[in-house]
């Protein structure tokens, strides 16, 4: 495994973990837009758990590569769904935010 792959994977895991923690702690800059997009409040904990599981899977993938690949695919699908949700809410200026989180995950998958 290259140093680049290690660093990018850990960055992707840290960003996804931070995003999950922001949902769990109900950070206003995260949950207010989710409410504005029409995401039901009952889903928030599950969405945070999905991101946390993806972050943990990326780290586990450093030891068992297939787990990391599956976690990366799951996170990419998650953030693709986030982009679709933002587009459906017609908040076009918010589209870059989920893409910022998806980019290091896609890079980690490509480098793995």
């Amino acid at each position: 495994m290259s140093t680049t792959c290690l660093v990018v994977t850990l960055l992707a895991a840290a960003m996804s973990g931070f995003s999950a923690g922001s949902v769990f702690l109900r950070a206003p800059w995260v949950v207010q837009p989710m409410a504005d997009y029409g995401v039901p409040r009952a889903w928030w904990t599950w969405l945070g758990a999905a991101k946390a599981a993806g972050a943990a899977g990326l780290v586990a993938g450093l030891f068992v590569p297939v787990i990391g690949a599956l976690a990366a695919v799951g996170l990419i699908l998650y953030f693709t769904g986030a982009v679709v949700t933002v587009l459906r809410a017609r908040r076009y200026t918010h589209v870059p935010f989920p893409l910022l989180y998806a980019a290091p995950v896609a890079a980690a998958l490509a480098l793995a």
Side-chain angles (χ1 to χ4, degrees), residues 72-87 98-99 101-102:
V73 169
L75 283 169
I76 290 169
L77 290 172
Y78 176 93
F79 290 119
T80 300
V83 169
V84 170
T85 300
V86 170
L87 290 173
L99 293 176
Y101 286 95

Side-chain angles (χ1 to χ4, degrees), residues 57-107:
L58 288 174
V59 174
L62 296 173
F63 305 100
V64 183
V66 71
I67 293 174
L70 292 172
V73 169
L75 283 169
I76 290 169
L77 290 172
Y78 176 93
F79 290 119
T80 300
V83 169
V84 170
T85 300
V86 170
L87 290 173
R88 290 187 69 200
R90 300 179 196 265
R91 301 291 180 108
Y92 304 115
T93 58
H94 294 194
V95 170
F97 299 115
L99 293 176
L100 280 172
Y101 286 95
V105 175

Side-chain angles (χ1 to χ4, degrees), residues 2 8 12 15 17-18 26-27 34-35 40-41 52-54 57 69 71 79 91 97 102:
S2 71
V8 170
M15 289 177 67
F18 172 79
R26 302 291 194 253
M34 289 172 70
R41 184 178 290 263
F79 290 119
R91 301 291 180 108
F97 299 115

Side-chain angles (χ1 to χ4, degrees), residues 2-14:
S2 71
T3 303
T4 304
C5 181
L6 177 68
V7 170
V8 170
T9 300
L10 291 176
L11 174 68

